[in-house]
Amino acid sequence: MRKWRSRSTLVVLAPGVSLLLAALGMIPVGRPTGIAVLLIGPVIACVWSSARRTAAVACWTVLLAVTAGVLRRLLGTPGFCLEFVVLVAGGALAVLNAARHTERKAALSRAAEVASASQSALLQPLSVEADGIEVCTRHHSPVRGASVCGDLYDVVQTPYGTRLIVGDVRGHGLDALRTTAAALRAFRDLAYLTPGLADLATAMDARLAPGLGSEDFVTAVFAEFAPGEVRLVNCGHPPPLRVGKRVKLLEPPQPALPLGLRTAPLPHRVYLQPGERLLFYTDGLSEARDGEGVEFPLLPRAAEALAQPSNSDALDALYAMAVAHTGRPLTDDVVLVLCRATGVTGAPLPARAREGISPAAGP
C-alpha cells in the first residue's frame, strides 16, 4: 500500500512540476512573477504523502522559485518578495497538514487494531459439545482491516441447561462494538441467575436500554436446550432453521420487539431429535442479494449445505453459497451458529423454568 501511494504521488507531482515550470517560463519579466503557483506542488503532496515528503517537495519549490528569481533578476522586487513569502508560508502549512493527516491515519489504524482484537476476544470461534448438543460457529465481517461489527453470539452452561444467544446490534463501528460487549456481559451474568428464558430476555432489555440511543436496539434469539427439545425466545431476530427430514423456519408465536425497546417476548418450544440441526444466523445471510436484488434462497441452500456431515464444513459451504449468489463478498456482517442434537442427555429443566412456555411445535 505504501509503495502504491508513493508511486501515485510521483505520477501526480512529476507532470505537475513540469506544467508549473512551463507556466513560469511563459510569464513575461516585469509582470507578477507567478512563483506562488508553485504552491500547488506542496498542496498535492500533503494530500498523498507524509510530512517528510511534503517538506521535500516544499523545499524543491522554494529552490525553483529562488532560481527563477535569479535568472530573471527579480530578487528584491516587491512582487517577488510577496509571492515568495506566500510560497514559503503555504509550504509550511502543507507540511503541517500532512503531519496531521498522518497522525489521524495512524490513530485510526490503532483504533482498528484495538477493535479487531476486542472483537476477536468477544466472539471467539466455538466448536464444542456439551449436554448432548454440538455447537459450531462462524463469524464473517466485511470491514477491511478489522472485524468490527454488531453481530454477537455466545453459549453458556447454566443450572437450567445449555443456553445460547445470537444477536445483531443496530449499526457498525466502535459504538456497535461497545453495545455488543454490553449485551454479551449481560447475557453471561443473567443466564445463570434467571430461570425463565423470556425473563432472561426482559432482564437483558432492562439492563441494555439505559445505555442505548433513541434509535438503537439489539435483535436477539435465545435458545435453551433440554432432552428432546429446545426452548426459543425471539426478540425481532430472523427465525432459526430446524433441519432434519425437512427444513422448517421456527417462527415465534407472536412478533416481539428487539432488546432495548421494552420487549415482552413469548417463549415457545420445538422438538429436537438426535441428528437434527438448528441453524441460527444474522440478517447478513438472509438478506444477501444478487445484482438484480433477488434475496438469497435460504431454505433450499441451507438444506443443501447442511447435508454435509461436518458442522464446520456445512457452515463454510453455506457461506460460500451466499457469496456465489451475490457474486461478490457480502456487504454485511454474518454470524452463523449451527447446533446438532447428538443424544438425549442431561436432566429436565426445573418446573419454574417451563412457566409461560407455549405448546410444543411438532416436527
Side-chain angles (χ1 to χ4, degrees), residues 129-134 272-276 311 340-345:
E129 179 178 357
D131 255 352
I133 298 295
E134 289 181 355
L272 187 65
Q273 301 302 320
E276 291 184 330
N311 285 345
R340 175 165 54 189
T342 59
V344 179
T345 61

Side-chain angles (χ1 to χ4, degrees), residues 122 176-187 204 207-208:
L122 290 172
L177 179 59
R178 282 190 287 268
T179 304
T180 298
L184 289 175
R185 284 196 305 269
F187 176 72
M204 284 190 60
R207 178 175 292 193
L208 292 176

Side-chain angles (χ1 to χ4, degrees), residues 252-327:
Q254 68 180 31
L257 294 174
L259 303 179
L261 301 178
R262 297 184 179 180
T263 186
L266 179 66
H268 66 294
R269 66 181 183 229
V270 297
Y271 294 126
L272 187 65
Q273 301 302 320
E276 291 184 330
R277 290 170 167 175
L278 281 182
L279 175 67
F280 300 86
Y281 54 93
T282 52
D283 59 9
L285 178 71
S286 57
E287 297 180 0
R289 300 176 183 271
D290 63 12
E292 298 180 354
V294 178
E295 285 190 354
F296 178 61
L298 180 60
L299 268 65
R301 293 296 177 266
E304 182 181 351
L306 270 60
Q308 300 272 358
S310 164
N311 285 345
S312 179
D313 292 343
L315 292 182
D316 291 340
L318 181 60
Y319 185 75
M321 290 177 182
V323 174
H325 173 77
T326 60

